[in-house]
Amino acid sequence: DAGVIQSPRHEVTEMGQEVTLRCKPISGHNSLFWYRQTMMRGLELLIYFNNNVPIDDSGMPEDRFSAKMPNASFSTLKIQPSEPRDSAVYFCASRGRETQYFGPGTRLLVL
Amino acid sequence: AQKVTQAQTEISVVEKEDVTLDCVYETRDTTYYLFWYKQPPSGELVFLIRRNSFDEQNEISGRYSWNFQKSTSSFNFTITASQVVDSAVYFCALSGENAGNNRKLIWGLGTSLAVNP
């Protein structure tokens, strides 16, 4: 079975542009998580979906960030407008059998 | 409150040495899960092991072994005969059954292991 798939793997954009990160969870997993990792703050949970419904978005930094999960096999994390401080690695994870499995991450650089 | 403490920020060893990474946790849940993840320099987060609170048996997988002790709230990870490929950041994490936290993972800050040739 394929693991969690994320795209793009790398994204370089300019401040003010919209950025959309994509995630395909492992088939059969009904929970999906978006994380951000930086050197300064480590690994932070941004938002968590269960059965496609957002359960906890308390980690979303501000209104510039939004996430959707229109169906069980797809989720997006959007940043609009992007800022240099959003530069980080963004991970998507899906959970099965009490375990979160992570995608390879999207390395985002906002200039 | 739930908390995971990895007191060792960085460890440096020479190849073939044994090394133990410490993890101490706090939780009021009676049912919970403990995890170890590895993050090599390439950046991905790799699941290594899950343990539930009712299973205190130690586990061995090749050169890796885990010691779970509820009495000391610890879940330590030992690498025997370390290799350069073991160089990575290792994270310990906790997930409880408390519905209030939606079973999110509570992460330690990680231990950076450098295995030198």
Side-chain angles (χ1 to χ4, degrees):
Chain A
D1 190 13
V4 176
I5 299 172
Q6 290 187 248
S7 65
R9 294 292 306 276
H10 302 271
E11 177 83 20
V12 180
T13 190
E14 292 187 346
M15 184 174 63
Q17 296 297 306
E18 178 179 296
V19 174
T20 299
L21 311 182
R22 297 172 178 79
C23 175
K24 177 178 169 54
I26 294 172
S27 177
H29 287 188
N30 60 6
S31 298
L32 184 141
F33 303 78
W34 283 100
Y35 289 88
R36 177 172 68 177
Q37 187 178 38
T38 61
M39 290 294 293
M40 293 296 293
R41 292 188 297 269
L43 196 60
E44 305 172 276
L45 177 64
L46 300 177
I47 188 169
Y48 152 50
F49 292 87
N50 197 38
N51 293 322
N52 313 337
V53 176
I55 301 299
D56 184 352
D57 65 354
S58 60
M60 295 286 263
E62 49 199 270
D63 291 346
R64 297 185 298 106
F65 285 69
S66 62
K68 294 182 179 179
M69 192 165 185
N71 57 60
S73 59
F74 184 65
S75 177
T76 59
L77 178 68
K78 187 175 294 187
I79 308 173
Q80 167 63 20
S82 58
E83 296 182 3
R85 59 190 168 126
D86 301 330
S87 297
V89 179
Y90 290 81
F91 288 102
C92 174
S94 66
R95 183 171 66 200
R97 296 184 64 191
E98 299 298 336
T99 300
Q100 290 186 29
Y101 297 91
F102 285 78
T106 295
R107 191 172 296 273
L108 174 65
L109 178 61
V110 183
L111 301 174
Chain B
Q2 296 187 318
K3 186 179 179 182
V4 174
T5 301
Q6 294 181 255
Q8 304 148 309
T9 305
E10 296 181 356
I11 300 176
S12 182
V13 299
V14 177
E15 210 170 13
K16 297 185 182 177
E17 282 186 36
D18 297 348
V19 58
T20 295
L21 310 181
D22 297 333
C23 174
V24 174
Y25 63 92
E26 296 176 28
T27 182
R28 293 181 178 176
D29 292 335
T30 54
T31 301
Y32 52 89
Y33 298 88
L34 294 162
F35 304 82
W36 278 95
Y37 286 84
K38 173 182 180 180
Q39 188 171 39
S42 51
E44 68 268 30
L45 274 160
V46 180
F47 164 70
L48 294 179
I49 189 171
R50 178 188 74 244
R51 232 15 181 188
N52 76 50
S53 51
F54 296 109
D55 183 0
E56 284 193 77
Q57 272 196 333
N58 291 330
E59 181 149 341
I60 298 175
S61 176
R63 297 183 297 105
Y64 294 175
S65 62
W66 291 269
N67 184 345
F68 176 28
Q69 291 196 342
K70 288 179 76 170
S71 61
T72 56
S73 296
S74 65
F75 186 42
N76 296 337
F77 174 26
T78 297
I79 302 174
T80 302
S82 59
Q83 299 177 1
V84 173
V85 293
D86 296 326
S87 297
V89 178
Y90 291 87
F91 293 95
C92 182
L94 164 72
S95 172
E97 282 287 317
N98 184 339
N101 70 9
N102 292 305
R103 291 155 58 207
K104 296 184 293 189
L105 279 178
I106 307 301
W107 295 84
L109 294 180
T111 296
S112 178
L113 173 65
V115 181
N116 302 298

